[in-house]
């Protein structure tokens, strides 16, 4: 391995980074010709002796970097609920690569890495107004992995409780020790259900991975396209299957197409908690981005949004994303659980004495590798810790307010426009609903069907802004998701309006 040119190459990458970050505007997408050329430059076979670090640096900066999109760098990238990277988090990310720690093996006499992650999780619970002492937590790759963690803990709990009801409270039989089939047989469990409303696709993926099956997910909304939980329908399902089935209730705290919430008050969460306690169900929250509405408590003008995240402290487990509204680098999710012993039953590393590094007399940190999926991973908690310390509660609250103000300004522009329609129609039948119900997502379509069929491509072809394509009531729709810390409502609204008008102008010329 060569070391001579290492510093010079690092300086080149550093200079390139500063150049990119100093640009006033960054295209949201590279030109397709640039992507095509970059693909053609990728090596097809492994070189026998390698090309060396200097040529590899040239390849990285000249062939690959120009073909990467600006999803995190541009404030006008509105696809997939992608956040940016705060300056503080970016600095920490450099330190992460430099020191290359594995925080999942707790080594209190050798590194502070796991202590930092523990504090980062505690600061995050503070930001989200949860009691630190009531929750254990771990960082994950994202809300998808966190949903797997939540459903795995829920599966463990509901089946184990059914076993205890038949074999006695002293029974140590569990899914983690016996496996799903054997545990279900002992517990007399014939069916497992996940009750939710307008579930994110990751919930279906998680249920498939865990052997529950995608078909176990049941809609309990007041209608097929309504995210609001029908409490009466839910209790009827729980009561009907009480003898031979067990259940997980998953709250959609921020639906991916509309940004709307399944619950709207602390009272509703209390009712869900009571139903779970009565029927032995597990209460999980899928709060990838909606959970951050909790930091708006007491903020005038955001009462309706804040109410959508009220009472989440009554849940058993919570999944969230860091690389969305927390604005830390990919990949970063988080998972909170009110019952750490359940997490250990599922994820512990048995018969691995070399991993037992905690000094029980002096150290209270829970070993991360025994409450999560991985035994090793990158130090993803450091950017979270650094960003939270740098900006604090008020910094993140101001950031979210700007994002919502901008989303509402875009929604108002669309509502007033003759050529476009704000969705869902039944929610936004009156303009004043915009400043109550719009969170960070704006769903819309063109009234002209032919234009609507090509609308997403026209937005993204502009290279000025990026939107996601989706469907609403089986009709193509466009979705603007505002999540970047760099949002400036006045500046960015001018960009959006210009792109809208340019699309219409070109469309009328084509017709």
């Amino acid at each position: 391995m060569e070391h001579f040119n290492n510093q010079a190459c690092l300086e080149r990458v550093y200079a390139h980074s500063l150049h990119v970050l100093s640009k006033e505007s960054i295209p949201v997408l590279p030109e397709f010709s640039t992507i095509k050329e970059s693909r053609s430059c990728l090596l097809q076979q492994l070189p026998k002796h390698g090309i060396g670090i200097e040529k590899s640096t040239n390849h990285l900066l000249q062939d690959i970097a120009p073909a990467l999109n600006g999803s995190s760098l541009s404030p006008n990238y509105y696809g997939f609920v992608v956040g940016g990277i705060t300056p503080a988090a970016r600095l920490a990310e450099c330190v992460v690569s430099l020191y290359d720690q594995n925080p999942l093996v707790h080594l209190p006499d050798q590194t502070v890495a796991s202590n930092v992650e523990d504090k980062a999780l505690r600061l995050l619970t503070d930001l989200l107004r949860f009691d630190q002492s009531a929750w254990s937590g771990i960082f994950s790759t994202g809300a998808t992995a966190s949903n797997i963690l939540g459903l795995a803990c829920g599966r463990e709990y509901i089946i184990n409780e059914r076993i205890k009801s038949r074999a006695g409270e002293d029974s140590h039989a569990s899914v983690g020790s016996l496996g799903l089939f054997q545990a279900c047989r002992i517990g007399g469990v014939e069916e497992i259900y996940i009750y939710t409303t307008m579930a994110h696709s990751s919930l279906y993926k998680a249920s498939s991975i865990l052997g529950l099956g995608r078909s176990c997910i049941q809609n309990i909304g007041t209608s097929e396209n309504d995210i609001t939980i029908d409490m009466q329908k839910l209790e009827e399902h729980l009561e009907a299957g009480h003898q031979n089935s067990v259940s997980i209730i998953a709250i959609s705290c921020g639906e991916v197409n509309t940004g709307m919430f399944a619950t709207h008050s602390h009272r509703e969460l209390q009712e869900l908690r009571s139903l779970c306690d009565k029927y032995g169900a597990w209460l999980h929250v899928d709060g990838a981005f909606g959970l951050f509405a909790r930091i708006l408590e007491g903020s005038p003008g955001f009462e309706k949004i804040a109410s959508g995240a009220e009472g989440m402290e009554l849940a058993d487990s919570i999944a969230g994303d860091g690389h969305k509204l927390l604005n830390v680098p990919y990949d970063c999710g988080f998972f909170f659980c009110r019952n750490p012993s359940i997490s250990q039953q599922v994820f512990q590393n048995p018969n691995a004495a070399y991993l037992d590094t905690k000094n029980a007399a002096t150290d209270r940190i829970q070993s991360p590798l025994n409450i999560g999926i991985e035994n090793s991973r990158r130090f993803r908690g450091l950017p979270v810790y650094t960003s939270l310390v740098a900006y604090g509660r008020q910094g993140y609250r101001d950031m979210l307010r700007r994002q919502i103000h901008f989303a509402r300004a875009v929604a108002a522009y669309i509502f007033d426009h003759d050529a476009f329609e704000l969705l869902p129609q039944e929610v936004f039948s009156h303009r004043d609903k915009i400043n109550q119900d719009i969170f960070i997502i704006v769903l819309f379509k063109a009234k002209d069907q032919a234009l609507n069929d090509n609308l997403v491509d026209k937005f993204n072809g502009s290279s000025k802004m990026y939107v996601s394509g989706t469907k609403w009531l089986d009709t193509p729709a466009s979705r603007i998701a505002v999540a970047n810390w760099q949002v400036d409502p006045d500046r960015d609204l001018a960009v959006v309006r210009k792109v809208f008008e340019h699309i219409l102008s070109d469309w009328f010329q084509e017709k």
Side-chain angles (χ1 to χ4, degrees):
M1 296 291 178
E2 56 185 308
H3 299 282
F4 181 75
N5 291 324
N6 184 45
Q7 183 171 339
C9 292
L10 281 172
E11 288 174 352
R12 285 188 60 199
V13 173
Y14 175 68
H16 172 84
S17 302
L18 289 180
H19 173 69
V20 171
L21 292 172
S22 67
K23 290 182 177 181
E24 288 190 11
S25 64
I26 295 173
V28 294
L29 296 178
E31 296 289 338
F32 181 73
S33 59
T34 303
I35 296 175
K36 186 177 180 181
E37 183 178 351
S38 178
R39 286 198 186 108
S40 69
C41 292
L42 298 176
L43 272 65
Q44 302 299 314
Q45 294 181 327
L46 179 68
K48 182 176 181 180
H49 298 293
I51 62 175
I53 190 171
E54 190 170 350
K55 289 183 178 178
S56 295
T57 303
N58 292 339
H59 182 48
L60 174 66
L61 298 182
Q62 296 171 11
D63 299 332
I64 297 175
L68 302 177
N69 67 33
S71 59
S72 174
L73 292 165
S74 171
N76 305 119
Y77 189 96
Y78 306 122
F80 308 105
V81 198
V82 175
I85 305 175
T86 66
R90 193 180 301 281
L91 292 174
E93 184 68 10
C94 295
V95 177
V96 170
S97 296
L98 178 63
Y99 286 94
D100 194 26
Q101 304 287 284
N102 174 19
L104 295 191
V105 181
H106 184 45
L107 303 169
D109 298 327
Q110 301 175 35
T111 177
V112 76
S114 51
N115 298 87
V116 171
E117 291 219 337
D118 177 68
K119 293 302 181 186
L121 288 161
R122 292 177 183 276
L123 294 179
L124 188 52
T125 57
D126 275 354
L127 177 69
L128 298 171
R129 299 189 297 106
F130 293 125
D131 180 359
Q132 286 189 15
S133 64
W135 297 87
S136 69
I138 191 168
F139 288 111
S140 69
T141 55
T144 298
S146 294
N147 276 331
I148 294 172
L149 293 169
L151 296 192
C153 289
R155 181 191 65 178
E156 188 80 11
Y157 173 81
I158 58 180
I159 296 175
N160 293 359
E161 288 299 298
R162 186 58 61 87
I163 291 173
K164 289 178 182 178
S165 71
R166 298 185 61 166
E169 288 293 325
D170 295 333
S171 174
H172 296 292
S174 68
V175 178
S177 60
L178 299 176
L180 181 59
F181 297 134
Q182 179 87 344
C184 284
R185 185 183 64 80
I186 294 173
V189 175
E190 297 179 12
E191 294 178 298
I192 302 171
Y193 292 112
I194 298 174
Y195 295 115
T196 189
T197 58
M198 298 183 72
H200 188 268
S201 61
S202 64
L203 210 64
Y204 289 91
K205 175 183 280 191
S207 63
S208 174
I209 290 171
L210 293 168
L212 307 180
R214 289 182 286 270
S215 64
C216 81
I217 296 179
Q218 305 290 309
N219 177 49
I220 49 161
T222 53
S223 68
E224 188 67 28
N225 294 291
D226 191 345
I227 192 173
T228 302
I229 294 174
D230 186 328
M231 295 292 183
Q232 181 178 344
K233 182 190 295 185
L234 172 60
E235 183 159 21
E236 288 172 356
H237 281 298
L238 293 172
E239 177 63 35
H242 188 49
Q243 298 302 318
N244 61 357
S245 69
V246 289
S247 306
I248 297 169
I249 298 171
I251 301 172
S252 299
C253 185
E255 192 271 326
V256 70
N257 277 316
T258 62
M260 294 181 180
F261 298 83
T263 59
H264 310 284
S265 68
H266 194 278
R267 178 192 57 77
E268 289 176 76
L269 264 295
Q270 288 178 319
E271 189 173 351
L272 286 172
R273 180 73 267 164
S274 296
L275 288 173
C276 288
D277 293 342
K278 180 178 179 180
Y279 294 102
W282 181 270
L283 186 57
H284 175 68
V285 175
D286 180 2
F289 61 89
L291 194 62
F292 287 86
R294 290 180 65 84
I295 71 178
L296 294 170
E297 184 191 38
S299 298
F302 304 102
E303 294 86 356
K304 182 75 177 292
I305 299 302
S307 70
E310 284 183 3
M312 297 302 161
E313 67 276 6
L314 298 177
D316 294 302
S317 60
I318 297 171
D321 256 325
H323 49 240
K324 289 183 170 59
L325 292 181
L326 198 61
N327 277 254
V328 296
Y330 277 109
D331 50 13
C332 182
F334 55 89
F335 173 71
F336 296 131
C337 183
R338 283 204 298 138
N339 193 334
S341 65
I342 290 290
S343 295
Q344 287 181 322
Q345 286 180 32
V346 180
F347 300 109
Q348 65 179 302
N349 283 264
N351 306 319
Y354 73 99
L355 295 176
D356 187 12
T357 58
K358 187 171 94 169
N359 184 336
T362 60
D363 195 352
R364 294 178 179 269
I365 291 180
Q366 195 170 27
S367 185
L369 56 82
N370 285 323
I371 57 173
I373 297 170
E374 302 96 350
N375 281 356
S376 57
R377 62 157 168 79
R378 60 188 292 277
F379 191 9
R380 63 171 62 97
L382 184 60
V384 174
Y385 176 84
T386 308
S387 198
L388 287 171
V389 168
Y391 307 113
R393 185 186 308 278
Q394 193 60 47
Y396 272 99
R397 182 178 291 171
D398 291 344
M399 184 193 305
L400 185 54
R401 284 170 173 166
R402 279 188 287 110
Q403 290 161 342
I404 297 172
H405 279 310
F406 172 63
R408 289 176 174 179
V410 173
Y413 169 75
I414 292 170
F415 184 92
D416 293 338
H417 207 294
D418 292 336
F420 299 97
E421 186 172 344
L422 187 63
L423 301 172
Q425 297 165 291
E426 63 274 17
V427 175
F428 298 109
S429 56
H430 300 286
R431 197 178 193 275
D432 58 2
K433 294 284 287 181
I434 291 171
N435 286 333
Q436 297 176 34
D437 290 291
I438 289 289
F439 182 26
I440 61 163
I441 292 180
V442 182
L443 185 68
F444 65 99
K445 67 177 182 178
K447 294 180 180 178
D448 184 301
Q449 187 60 51
L451 173 58
N452 193 55
D453 289 341
N454 298 281
L455 190 57
V456 171
D457 290 341
K458 290 183 179 296
F459 275 116
N460 299 342
S462 72
S463 287
K464 302 294 183 184
M465 61 181 283
Y466 183 96
V467 305
S468 292
T470 186
K471 281 195 172 184
W472 188 255
L473 301 180
D474 295 323
T475 299
S478 300
R479 190 192 67 163
I480 289 175
V482 185
N484 196 291
W485 68 274
Q486 300 175 85
V487 164
D488 180 316
D490 293 334
R491 177 200 65 198
D492 296 336
L493 182 61
V495 172
V496 169
R497 290 173 65 109
K498 188 173 181 179
V499 173
F500 267 82
E501 297 307 324
H502 184 73
I503 288 173
L504 281 179
S505 176
D506 284 354
W507 175 250
F508 288 134
Q509 288 183 20
E510 289 174 14
K511 292 184 70 174

